[in-house]
């Protein structure tokens, strides 16, 4: 009797697990509706269509594209969101239920879940994909005047990427005479133009980029958490550093902190550069042992619920800054503090960098530099305009150019003071992610070790790499 009851309960639990609906809980329908309203205001009496990410070709976990997730939070591949500026109504077109896939992978929201999808997302209606073509004919070709179609022209961001990197990759593929494939976005635009030549197709990307530049309080909370995890990952890597440890082991220590705290993916590939490897700005091999006397750079952050960060620190492999390293890293710390002091609403990035550079000029002149080329390097740093680096949000390099505007509350970006010493192939930097507040700035990682003394103290602690040694070859 009890054996059959246990079997029944096991089967019931399996059915329940298969039917469990997974949908994000970070953004309510009202926040999506507010985003739709901004799109409607921008496109006027026209229609926007946003294509979701495609089904993965292998067994990797699906990740939605940033723009699609930003507008509805749904993680179903091969879906379409239509925002009609005339009726100001949102419609989702979803694939049908795949029972075989659900039996193997779990419940996925589909066209058959229309009522639940409307409740979760706030859209007006939900239809299967094949209905999309019919609706376009009756809703846009027969109905006069015919609208324009807005859709993103820029490459979709899929998590471990950024717009600038994707564009460069597409350019390289296009230059390959044996390749030359169009982007998925380009293919979709071509299909729209072929099927509906009566309708003009326009770029939605600048509208969405501008919207995503100002983060809501809920978005800021996720970036703050991603930044906290990035900081704890770097701190664990600091503890784990010693001569002979491999760069990839520091990456593993950081990723361990991300994953045990709920960040399932990385926001970008880790940059772990020991010694001269740090000279390469986007070094990714991470396969060299760390050497006595070198500095090591770690630039890494998680993808936490579709939001990321961008934090960098450097520290000495042997746990003690040399006099020369103290000299250069001390300048970076002072420059970082000078930049933070200047950030507040209505100031431009140029105003902030000019004010910080003026303060740092006094700093430079008040010190005696051990090598002439060190003084040249720090003076050159004052003329570099990239220390307020780039926007951060759903992508590590958010596309909108905040530096062209006066700062506004809710803008999130990295500050990245850096110097180059070409005579020694030495690159020294520190990076933080901050948000502009009502009256100033919040540094998401103000709690982590920053000063030379704090870093050296943390490196005396035992890290995860020492606690659980790597297997012998």
């Amino acid at each position: 009797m009890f054996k059959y009851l246990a079997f029944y309960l096991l089967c019931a639990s399996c059915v329940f697990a298969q039917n469990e609906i997974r949908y994000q809980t970070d953004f309510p329908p009202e926040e999506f509706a507010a985003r739709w309203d901004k799109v409607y205001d921008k496109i006027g009496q026209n229609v926007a269509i946003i294509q979701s990410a495609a089904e993965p070709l292998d067994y990797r976990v699906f990740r939605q594209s940033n723009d699609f997730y930003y507008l509805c939070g749904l993680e179903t591949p091969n879906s379409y969101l239509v925002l009609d500026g005339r009726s100001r109504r949102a419609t989702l077109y979803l694939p049908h239920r795949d029972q075989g896939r659900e039996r193997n992978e779990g419940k996925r929201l589909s066209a058959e879940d229309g009522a639940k999808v409307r409740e979760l997302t706030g859209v007006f209606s939900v239809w299967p994909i094949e209905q999309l073509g019919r609706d376009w004919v009756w809703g846009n070709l027969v109905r006069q005047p015919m609208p324009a179609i807005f859709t993103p022209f820029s490459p979709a961001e899929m998590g471990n990427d950024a717009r600038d990197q994707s564009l460069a990759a597409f350019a390289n593929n296009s230059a390959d005479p044996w390749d030359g494939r169009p982007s998925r976005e380009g293919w979709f635009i071509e299909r729209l133009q072929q099927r509906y030549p009566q309708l003009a197709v326009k770029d939605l990307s600048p509208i969405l980029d501008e919207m995503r530049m100002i983060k809501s309080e809920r978005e800021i909370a996720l970036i703050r958490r991603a930044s906290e995890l990035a900081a704890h990952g770097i701190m664990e890597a600091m503890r784990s550093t010693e001569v002979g440890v491999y760069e990839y082991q520091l990456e593993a220590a950081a990723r361990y902190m991300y994953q045990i705290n709920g960040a399932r993916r990385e926001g970008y590939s880790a940059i772990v550069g020991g010694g001269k490897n740090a000279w390469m700005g986007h070094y990714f091999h991470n396969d060299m042992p760390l050497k006595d006397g070198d500095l090591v750079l770690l630039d890494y952050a998680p993808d936490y619920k579709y939001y990321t960060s961008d934090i960098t620190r450097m520290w000495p492999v042997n746990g003690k800054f040399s006099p020369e390293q103290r000299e250069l890293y001390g300048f970076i710390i002072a420059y970082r503090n000078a930049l933070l002091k200047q950030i507040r609403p209505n100031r431009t990035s140029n105003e902030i960098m000019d004010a910080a550079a003026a303060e740092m000029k006094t700093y430079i002149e008040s010190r005696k530099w051990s090598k002439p080329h060190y003084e040249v390097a720090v003076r050159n740093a004052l003329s570099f305009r990239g220390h307020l680096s780039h926007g951060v949000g759903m992508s590590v390099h958010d596309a909108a150019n905040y530096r062209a505007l006066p700062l506004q509350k809710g803008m999130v970006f990295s500050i990245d003071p850096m110097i180059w010493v070409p005579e020694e192939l030495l690159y020294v930097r520190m990076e933080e992610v901050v948000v502009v507040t009502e009256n100033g700035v919040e540094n998401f990682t103000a709690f982590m070790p920053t000063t030379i003394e704090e870093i050296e103290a943390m490196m005396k602690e035992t890290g995860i790499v020492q606690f659980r040694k790597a297997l012998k070859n």
Side-chain angles (χ1 to χ4, degrees), residues 73 183 458:
S183 66
M458 174 151 286

Side-chain angles (χ1 to χ4, degrees), residues 47-65:
V47 178
I49 180 168
I50 300 91
Q51 186 181 37
S52 83
E55 186 79 63
L57 298 177
D58 52 24
Y59 285 108
R60 77 187 67 185
V61 177
F62 174 74
R63 187 196 187 279
Q64 188 58 273
S65 61

Side-chain angles (χ1 to χ4, degrees), residues 8-47:
Y8 171 79
L9 291 174
L10 176 62
C11 291
S13 67
C14 290
V15 171
F16 176 80
Q18 288 176 353
N19 291 330
E20 182 181 356
I21 291 176
R22 288 178 171 83
Y23 181 73
Q24 60 80 32
T25 57
D26 300 299
F27 303 102
E30 303 80 56
E31 184 144 343
F32 294 124
R35 294 172 186 175
W36 302 338
D37 282 339
K38 291 178 181 178
V39 173
Y40 298 142
D41 291 343
K42 290 288 186 180
I43 66 174
Q45 296 295 301
N46 295 299
V47 178

Side-chain angles (χ1 to χ4, degrees), residues 140-155:
N140 301 319
L141 299 185
V142 175
R143 181 178 173 183
Q144 299 293 325
M146 289 187 290
I149 305 173
F150 282 80
T151 194
F153 285 13
S154 295

Side-chain angles (χ1 to χ4, degrees), residues 323-349:
E324 293 82 3
Q325 291 167 350
R326 293 175 72 91
E327 194 173 339
L328 295 174
Y329 204 65
F331 170 84
I332 292 294
I333 294 169
Y335 206 171
R336 168 256 202 189
N337 294 340
L339 287 165
L340 283 172
K341 254 191 320 193
Q342 299 296 332
I343 299 172
R344 53 184 174 271
N346 300 318
R347 300 200 78 184
T348 66
S349 62

Side-chain angles (χ1 to χ4, degrees), residues 352-416:
I352 292 166
M353 285 190 287
D354 288 344
E359 179 178 334
M360 293 310 297
K361 185 177 179 183
T362 302
Y363 176 97
I364 292 170
E365 292 171 350
S366 68
R367 281 158 175 76
K368 184 171 182 178
W369 298 89
S370 61
K371 300 177 182 179
H373 57 265
Y374 283 4
E375 183 172 357
V376 171
V378 296
R379 287 191 182 278
N380 286 341
L382 301 187
S383 61
F384 178 63
R385 308 309 287 179
H387 300 304
L388 294 188
S389 190
H390 53 79
V392 179
M394 300 188 82
S395 172
V396 65
H397 291 176
D398 263 2
N401 182 14
Y402 77 93
R403 289 196 286 176
L405 303 168
L407 296 184
Q408 301 176 51
K409 178 185 176 183
M411 286 183 174
V412 177
F413 54 89
S414 73
I415 66 167
D416 196 5

Side-chain angles (χ1 to χ4, degrees), residues 19-24 73-77 79 94-98 102 106-118 120-121 126:
N19 291 330
E20 182 181 356
I21 291 176
R22 288 178 171 83
Y23 181 73
Q24 60 80 32
L74 194 69
E75 294 182 279
T76 301
S79 302
L94 306 181
H96 287 288
R97 168 159 297 133
D98 184 337
E102 287 191 357
K107 170 70 179 170
R108 173 187 285 179
L109 289 168
S110 62
E112 285 70 24
D113 301 304
K116 189 64 178 178
V117 172
R118 288 195 299 273
L120 292 171
T121 64
V126 177

